[in-house]
Amino acid sequence: MLAQDERYFYVSTQPCGKRLFEDVIGRTLVEGSSHFYIPAATSLHAESLDVDKNLSFIASNHCQKDFIENELFYEQIGCDVYSLVKGNYFISLEELRSQIEYEVSDENLNALLGYAKGYYAGIVRMDALNALSDLGLAIYGVRWRGRSTYFNPDVSRCYRGKPISTEEDNAWVYNTSKIAVNISHPQAITTFSWRVMDIMASNACLLMEKKDDWLDLFGSYLSDEVKSAIIYDDQYDMRQKAKALLSNEELRLRCVRECQHAIAQNGRWPHRFNELGVFFNLSLCNEGRGEGKYVQFIGEEKKLVEDMVRGIEDCNRLNFLSSLRLRMRLKCASYSFLMMMAQIPVLDSLLQAKKWRGRMVGKMLKYAKE
């Protein structure tokens, strides 16, 4: 790709993808020409189900499975590295080196940087869920039991063990919840999880952090009141807004309706396929409602297509038979050679030809017939 990168079109599901592509190939991509931004979408729909959860959250636990074994992490240098990661999750090793005053090797410093990032990602999610743990929270996902939640049993208590892996599973969780929460990984600076669109399409009320990409996609379809009600600043603000939505059913349902409207306007896969179709000058969506378009071959055209398919099948069969015949010929040649050698009296006794001559003749006849 790098040798002939101008041959390719580049498609990103997030605006930052364009910059990542440019860093790899070493040149500027033109939006709408060599690069196209196409966000994700959802095919989930609202269903009228019995609501039995105040809040739900589907995702994995990011906390460490065990204590970090590197002792430096628990000393002052570890605290300082963690603080710098908290302020800038994408801090580089060089930037980190310039802001600490400790004599430590690059290997140890890089290890501390990795530990701090992983630890911070887990703490952010755990603290946020802890703020909701007494409000009727139900957690689905992986690694919410065991050592990683030992020091936060309130969060672990909210875990529901039902496996959630399909779109139907997600739809069931969201459509049986009053509120569904999104807590992004720290690496998501401006973008958001695809789960956000699933929540918006369901009967659950979305509760999420402020994300510029999300506002660019859906901000114009939502009122300021709704945006203020469902976007939180931190874990404390999240708790207050969750309580406000749970106590104000009219506001909660208004948020649900506006989010569903936003998805209907700009969050379905036909929207994305139509945009891609414009980019590639190719129709990717059928024009009917559930009626797929196909070409029916009749008459002479049908015969041509059938002949073509039959020709492909014949070629495959002939290739197989050719390889089979070659193996048969080799075996017959080897058997014939051994039969000839067995005519020599000395070799006949050494090879015990009488014992296997009849069997060999039978095999040769079999292969000859095949």
Side-chain angles (χ1 to χ4, degrees), residues 15-151:
C16 62
K18 179 174 179 289
R19 185 179 68 254
L20 295 175
F21 279 133
E22 290 173 340
D23 289 344
V24 171
I25 64 178
R27 68 181 177 91
T28 301
L29 298 174
V30 179
E31 187 63 35
S33 176
S34 53
H35 179 270
F36 187 69
Y37 161 54
I38 174 170
T42 181
S43 55
L44 190 144
H45 291 275
E47 301 175 59
S48 296
L49 303 174
D50 292 336
V51 177
D52 60 358
K53 294 176 279 292
N54 278 350
L55 299 107
S56 64
F57 178 73
I58 307 175
S60 59
N61 175 19
H62 290 156
C63 282
Q64 303 280 340
K65 260 187 169 181
D66 294 298
F67 286 112
I68 295 171
E69 295 182 359
N70 191 318
E71 291 299 325
L72 286 176
F73 184 73
Y74 304 103
E75 298 181 7
Q76 188 60 44
I77 183 175
C79 295
D80 290 348
V81 170
Y82 177 82
S83 179
L84 290 169
V85 166
K86 189 175 179 180
N88 176 14
Y89 192 78
F90 290 95
I91 190 170
S92 67
L93 184 64
E94 293 74 20
E95 292 173 311
L96 188 63
R97 170 71 70 186
S98 66
Q99 297 186 50
I100 63 170
E101 301 176 352
Y102 303 93
E103 292 294 332
V104 60
S105 67
D106 284 348
E107 182 180 1
N108 280 331
L109 189 59
N110 193 47
L112 288 175
L113 180 59
Y115 294 142
K117 286 186 174 184
Y119 193 79
Y120 178 60
I123 290 297
V124 166
R125 181 159 289 187
M126 191 66 72
D127 285 351
L129 291 173
N130 189 51
L132 303 174
S133 60
D134 64 333
L135 300 180
L137 173 67
I139 299 174
Y140 299 86
V142 296
R143 296 184 62 240
W144 289 106
R145 287 270 167 80
R147 296 181 183 180
S148 59
T149 55
Y150 181 80
F151 293 104

Side-chain angles (χ1 to χ4, degrees), residues 44 58 164-175 195:
L44 190 144
I58 307 175
I164 299 296
S165 57
T166 66
E167 183 183 58
E168 290 75 18
D169 294 336
N170 283 272
W172 172 79
V173 171
Y174 294 144
N175 283 307
R195 295 184 187 278

Side-chain angles (χ1 to χ4, degrees), residues 298-332:
I298 59 176
E300 190 65 26
E301 289 180 337
K302 181 179 180 182
K303 185 176 183 303
L304 288 172
V305 173
E306 289 176 344
D307 289 345
M308 179 180 69
V309 173
R310 192 178 301 112
I312 294 172
E313 293 174 346
D314 288 344
C315 285
N316 291 335
R317 185 164 56 251
L318 287 171
N319 290 335
F320 170 73
L321 291 175
S322 296
S323 63
L324 193 63
R325 291 189 187 113
L326 178 61
R327 290 198 297 271
M328 292 176 182
R329 289 169 182 165
L330 290 173
K331 286 186 177 181
C332 284

Side-chain angles (χ1 to χ4, degrees), residues 51 53-55 132 135 177-182 199 203-208 224-232 237-257 259:
V51 177
K53 294 176 279 292
N54 278 350
L55 299 107
L132 303 174
L135 300 180
S177 305
K178 291 183 178 180
I179 299 172
V181 186
N182 182 73
I199 296 170
N203 278 329
C205 178
L206 173 67
L207 188 60
M208 65 175 292
D224 291 339
E225 183 181 12
V226 165
K227 284 185 281 190
S228 177
I230 66 176
I231 297 176
Y232 62 83
D237 188 41
M238 177 178 63
R239 177 179 173 84
Q240 294 306 314
K241 289 185 173 175
K243 293 174 68 175
L245 288 166
L246 290 173
S247 63
N248 189 338
E249 185 69 0
E250 180 184 355
L251 174 60
R252 188 186 73 83
L253 291 177
R254 191 186 319 150
C255 295
V256 171
R257 288 193 298 270
C259 283

